[in-house]
Amino acid sequence: MNYRVSPLVHAAAIALTSSAAAFASPGVVQAQTAALSLPAMPLDQALQRITSWSGQSLNIDPDAVRTLTSKPVVDAKSAEDAVRQATDGLPIARQRRDDGSLTIANDIVVIASRDEAETNVLVRGATTSSRLGQSLRDQARNTQVISSKLLEQQQARTLSEALANAGGVTVNATTIQSGVSYTIRGFSSNGSVNGLPTPSGSSFAAGTSQPMANIERLEVLKGPDAILLGGDNLGGTVNIVTKRPSADERLYVSAETGSFGMVRGTVDANRAISADKRWSARIVATAATASRNFGGYRGNEDYLFAPSLRFKNGDTDAVVSATIGNQIFGSVPYTIINPATKRPFALPTGRPVIGPKNQFAQIETTQFNGEVTQNVTDWLTVVVRGQHQETSFGLTQYSPFVLLAPTGLLLVSSQGVRQKSNVDAIDAYARATFQTGPLSHKIVAGHSRMYENIVAQNGQNGGFRPYNLFTGAPPLPTLASVYSFSNALDNERMGYYAQYLLGFGRLHLLAGVRHNRTRIRSEVFRAGKTDDRSNATTPNYGAVVDVTKTLSVFGTLAYGFLPTFNLDRAGNRLPDVKTRNAEAGIKWDLFGERALLNASWFNIRESNRIVSDPTNQQFQIALPGQQGRGIDINLSGEPLRGLSVVAAYTRTNYRYLRPVATLGNIVNGQPRDVYSLYTSYRQTLAPEVTAGLGAGVSGRSRSAIDRSGILYVPASVQADLNAFATAGKFDINLGVRNLFDRNNLLPTIASSFVPIGEPRNWRLTVGYKFR
């Protein structure tokens, strides 16, 4: 939040804080290391005592605090904590400035400011994914936020590139259907946008096609999160938060060019649109094209128009936004493993493996979002958010399904797919905050509903045909151009949930429960219709203990579920998939709270796993589930002025709960180790001139392709380098990705389609701030 205070008021504030420091009663001054407790009293007196106790500067608007009575302060450990308690529920606005000082002003002047994720590498504020309004520091879980400030420095252009910073996340860069998905701690995630589920096209996880230009931050939530989304995301999820308006006037234009004929232009315009600055608006627009990708397929095209409108005062924060996008992805470059040599076939680089250049996937998206946060009273807050999205997905490419012989003979599909998705989602909850004696309470109760409709078509004039990689025989069939109905799905999910956070001194206890009702109606061409229902209740528990002002320990026990509507050969419905995640760790503020360390140990178990029946692929069977145990460490912040560090490391030991020798006992597609480190340093060279360097390394250990452990994707590592400078209103960023031009293969579970990592390439971005 930002506050406007007149020069006269500011001068009075300085005078008042000076007086407070000089004349506070010696009887109430305490050592800064001791906790502070105060009874209710006139607010100006309470703030004077807080100033004397902490020695920290408070910029106070005298008109804002006059006639007000403070709330009791109990065991405050910092000036910010004491001020928060003293002014809780009062018509007072609080802000921490860059120099660490606190401003206390009348909430009438509260206006929206840019989110901290746009200006800082370390994000501390409450996340969209926490209905309790908790910051990362206070949550009983290992959560990592990747800020748009970091992504801007790294010149990240896709979600895959951005998630290289996330510990425990493995990106499946492409599948045979050309989708992009990811797993967290070994389990697939559907993802969310602004805290709500969205439809996915083919095997695209929700939001994976969201352009980086409109992303404010990525919240990487570890462990099952049924409380947030109601299921599906058994190992965790990635919540994509889009950019919102602020009252800061800003017009920023950037142009980018790079390898493979890539050209991009982006405009980010933002300003207040009312005299009192309570109304603000923002428009983010981007357009990009490229002549080809590094595999020789057509280049990516990316078009986005994202307007948004916001109203914000002391009690209300309302945002409505739209995202209109059209993206075309040239087929992701891939190779094929030779089972005889256990190495990729010797295929030409820089050109398509099968077929011509013009093979691609296209996603057209129209999305509307709305969110209102209303402080009804000083103890009750109501939040309502909703989303409507329409997505059209199309795939036009030759897809290798099975390697028939080591000679390079493949079974290739030319069918393609067309799919339309519609989703309506709403989430509404109330949060009550109050205190009884030494106990603090936060209670959340809410309801959510999501309805999704998907209709898919397959190519009538496409099909499957053998094709030899090396001889090109027999000739490839024409790619499908006529499509007809294949299947349809209606998915309706309703959830009722509650959370309770109890605080007593340094101890904070959390309990939550969610009950979900799921109904899925489907229709498959020539197979008829089905109508299935499922009910599930999932609890979770957590605790945080503040050992010191800068160190806390936490523990959590969370449950997840995935409803199953598949049938086995006998017509019996297979059991739902359930998980249990136990986790314990620490959160440690370092370097004067300029950096935050999260470190945890986790153990996540899956009850069973649904796979295709090896004797009849039309049916499924339930196998014993998998277990993942490991450590998860991430560090983010600016330990020294000008120096930024973001690091993550996750080691997970996977195993199946019960061996099934006939199908193999190796957990495939999941590397044991995933790591990343990015650091940058910026130095002031002259007035309004700064320059710096950023360097990063990311990688993973090897991973099995098949459950028998016969074929493996080798370990990979990639180094990136950026040089950047700011001169007045100009920004320049020159980056080189995969600096050492390593030939990296990416995790997969299909030997006939092994994605290839990017070769060495360069990017140049030039930006200009008009305002």
Side-chain angles (χ1 to χ4, degrees):
M1 295 180 293
N2 195 10
Y3 309 87
R4 302 187 64 199
V5 181
S6 68
L8 182 61
V9 170
H10 184 64
I14 295 175
L16 179 59
T17 55
S18 300
S19 300
F23 298 104
S25 170
V28 297
V29 178
Q30 302 182 33
Q32 188 173 352
T33 56
L36 175 68
S37 296
L38 295 172
M41 63 180 66
L43 181 58
D44 57 349
Q45 294 182 23
L47 295 175
Q48 291 178 33
R49 296 193 180 192
I50 293 170
T51 300
S52 300
W53 167 75
S54 66
Q56 183 168 341
S57 174
L58 299 180
N59 302 309
I60 306 167
D61 178 357
D63 292 332
V65 301
R66 187 176 293 117
T67 74
L68 295 179
T69 301
S70 73
K71 297 298 179 68
V73 176
V74 180
D75 197 23
K77 301 175 180 61
S78 66
E80 188 170 11
D81 183 24
V83 170
R84 179 188 59 78
Q85 292 189 47
T87 61
D88 188 29
L90 299 177
I92 290 297
R94 304 178 299 268
Q95 179 192 24
R96 176 180 286 278
R97 293 183 172 181
D98 292 339
D99 62 3
S101 64
L102 294 173
T103 293
I104 296 92
N106 194 305
D107 70 351
I108 293 177
V109 300
V110 174
I111 57 176
S113 63
R114 296 179 70 194
D115 189 89
E116 60 179 333
E118 297 187 58
T119 57
N120 299 307
V121 169
L122 174 60
V123 178
R124 287 187 173 274
T127 64
T128 305
S129 51
S130 172
R131 294 187 178 95
L132 287 165
Q134 294 174 289
S135 67
L136 296 181
R137 180 72 170 77
D138 298 327
Q139 292 182 19
R141 65 185 305 165
N142 192 325
T143 301
Q144 182 181 2
V145 173
I146 302 170
S147 71
S148 56
K149 179 68 174 179
L150 173 65
L151 300 180
E152 178 185 300
Q153 285 188 13
Q154 296 177 332
Q155 296 180 298
R157 291 296 171 260
T158 66
L159 187 69
S160 298
E161 294 174 0
L163 289 178
N165 298 288
V169 177
T170 300
V171 176
N172 182 5
T174 185
T175 66
I176 293 174
Q177 279 72 40
S178 194
V180 178
S181 61
Y182 50 85
T183 61
I184 301 179
R185 294 180 175 173
F187 298 88
S188 296
S189 174
N190 287 346
S192 64
V193 177
N194 295 323
L196 294 169
T198 65
S200 54
S202 185
S203 53
F204 280 80
T208 52
S209 60
Q210 183 82 228
M212 292 291 109
N214 194 39
I215 290 180
E216 174 189 289
R217 53 183 162 168
L218 304 174
E219 299 173 353
V220 185
L221 314 172
K222 312 294 179 66
D225 205 350
I227 290 292
L228 176 64
L229 297 174
D232 294 343
N233 303 277
L234 301 180
T237 194
V238 175
N239 181 39
I240 298 172
V241 181
T242 56
K243 290 181 177 178
R244 301 183 296 174
S246 72
D248 302 328
E249 187 172 4
R250 189 170 187 265
L251 175 59
Y252 192 78
V253 176
S254 64
E256 182 180 359
T257 186
S259 300
F260 315 113
M262 185 269 289
V263 178
R264 177 187 297 273
T266 301
V267 176
D268 189 345
N270 181 93
R271 64 167 298 171
I273 58 174
S274 65
D276 60 6
K277 295 194 174 184
R278 296 183 182 185
W279 288 93
S280 54
R282 187 171 193 169
I283 294 176
V284 178
T286 185
T289 187
S291 59
R292 64 184 178 89
N293 67 19
F294 66 86
Y297 298 96
R298 66 170 296 168
N300 293 350
E301 294 183 49
D302 185 355
Y303 306 98
L304 168 74
F305 179 67
S308 53
L309 181 67
R310 186 177 188 180
F311 173 81
K312 180 173 174 56
N313 64 13
D315 292 319
T316 305
D317 190 357
V319 182
V320 292
S321 63
T323 302
I324 303 170
N326 184 8
Q327 293 181 291
I328 300 174
F329 306 90
S331 293
V332 174
Y334 64 94
T335 188
I336 298 168
I337 299 291
N338 184 342
T341 63
K342 301 182 181 179
R343 299 177 62 85
F345 283 107
L347 301 171
T349 59
R351 71 186 197 192
V353 174
I354 302 172
K357 171 182 178 179
N358 191 33
Q359 300 179 55
F360 62 94
Q362 181 175 12
I363 298 181
E364 297 176 88
T365 302
T366 301
Q367 179 176 305
F368 300 97
N369 280 277
E371 180 172 344
V372 178
T373 301
Q374 179 66 46
N375 295 323
V376 181
T377 69
D378 59 356
W379 57 271
L380 179 63
T381 300
V382 174
V383 179
V384 179
R385 53 193 180 194
Q387 182 182 102
H388 172 75
Q389 181 172 335
E390 300 174 4
T391 302
S392 175
F393 170 78
L395 175 67
T396 302
Q397 74 171 37
Y398 292 103
S399 301
F401 270 79
V402 180
L403 181 67
L404 300 175
T407 58
L409 186 65
L410 291 165
L411 182 63
V412 175
S413 169
S414 61
Q415 275 192 317
V417 67
R418 297 290 184 268
Q419 179 176 292
K420 290 187 180 296
S421 303
N422 291 277
V423 69
D424 290 292
I426 189 168
D427 181 31
Y429 62 91
R431 179 175 63 237
T433 303
F434 57 95
Q435 189 142 348
T436 56
L439 302 177
S440 63
H441 312 267
K442 280 190 178 182
I443 300 175
V444 169
H447 169 69
S448 66
R449 180 182 182 275
M450 188 271 288
Y451 174 76
E452 179 183 22
N453 171 259
I454 301 175
V455 178
Q457 297 177 320
N458 283 339
Q460 278 187 316
N461 57 339
F464 293 84
R465 182 176 299 182
Y467 175 79
N468 191 286
L469 283 173
F470 303 105
T471 65
L476 288 168
T478 303
L479 287 168
S481 58
V482 179
Y483 291 84
S484 62
F485 175 79
S486 171
N487 60 81
L489 177 71
D490 286 331
N491 179 10
E492 184 176 14
R493 177 179 298 157
M494 297 180 63
Y496 303 88
Y497 55 85
Q499 291 176 283
Y500 176 42
L501 179 65
L502 173 67
F504 178 71
R506 297 183 177 184
L507 176 64
H508 308 276
L509 301 175
L510 170 67
V513 65
R514 179 175 182 128
H515 179 74
N516 245 54
R517 298 177 181 176
T518 304
R519 182 181 184 183
I520 292 183
R521 289 162 287 185
S522 64
E523 180 180 359
V524 179
F525 181 63
R526 292 181 178 175
K529 300 180 179 181
T530 61
D531 189 341
D532 298 294
R533 302 168 190 260
S534 173
N535 292 285
T537 300
T538 53
N540 64 34
Y541 314 94
V544 178
V545 179
D546 298 323
V547 179
T548 69
K549 180 182 176 181
T550 59
L551 176 67
S552 63
V553 297
F554 70 91
T556 185
L557 179 62
Y559 294 85
F561 77 98
L562 176 64
T564 301
F565 302 105
N566 306 86
L567 303 179
D568 61 17
R569 284 185 297 169
N572 299 314
R573 180 172 162 178
L574 297 174
D576 292 343
V577 178
K578 301 177 182 178
T579 56
R580 186 189 69 181
N581 181 74
E583 186 166 10
I586 66 169
K587 298 192 178 187
W588 194 1
D589 280 311
L590 303 171
F591 306 103
E593 300 187 9
R594 299 179 65 89
L596 178 62
L597 172 70
N598 279 276
S600 63
W601 170 89
F602 62 89
N603 181 355
I604 185 167
R605 294 169 60 94
E606 178 187 48
S607 60
N608 51 276
R609 174 152 293 205
I610 309 301
V611 301
S612 296
D613 189 334
T615 63
N616 189 333
Q617 296 291 317
Q618 293 181 343
F619 300 98
Q620 283 77 37
I621 59 174
L623 294 181
Q626 73 180 40
Q627 179 184 38
R629 291 186 295 182
I631 58 172
D632 196 330
I633 305 171
N634 57 77
L635 172 70
S636 180
E638 299 180 359
L640 300 174
R641 188 171 299 278
L643 177 68
S644 298
V645 177
V646 177
Y649 172 69
T650 304
R651 163 166 283 199
T652 309
N653 293 312
Y654 294 106
R655 72 178 184 91
Y656 287 114
L657 297 180
R658 182 164 53 84
V660 182
T662 56
L663 297 177
N665 299 318
I666 304 296
V667 176
N668 55 334
Q670 299 301 324
R672 182 185 65 177
D673 300 292
V674 179
Y675 59 89
S676 67
L677 170 64
Y678 178 82
T679 183
S680 66
Y681 181 74
R682 184 181 287 267
Q683 176 68 42
T684 300
L685 304 179
E688 295 190 353
V689 178
T690 64
L693 287 173
V697 60
S698 59
R700 63 187 67 85
S701 59
R702 70 172 190 164
S703 60
I705 295 176
D706 58 281
R707 289 172 57 111
S708 298
I710 297 174
L711 301 178
Y712 278 85
V713 170
S716 66
V717 61
Q718 176 171 318
D720 304 322
L721 185 67
N722 288 86
F724 37 81
T726 297
K729 295 184 177 182
F730 278 99
D731 294 319
I732 300 175
N733 191 339
L734 176 62
V736 180
R737 296 182 59 83
N738 198 0
L739 181 64
F740 301 108
D741 202 22
R742 290 181 58 91
N743 183 23
N744 291 322
L745 301 181
L746 307 181
T748 182
I749 58 173
S751 61
S752 62
F753 207 102
V754 182
I756 302 173
E758 61 185 324
R760 181 167 53 220
N761 63 96
W762 63 275
R763 297 171 184 178
L764 173 64
T765 306
V766 179
Y768 184 79
K769 183 179 180 181
F770 287 89
R771 295 186 182 89

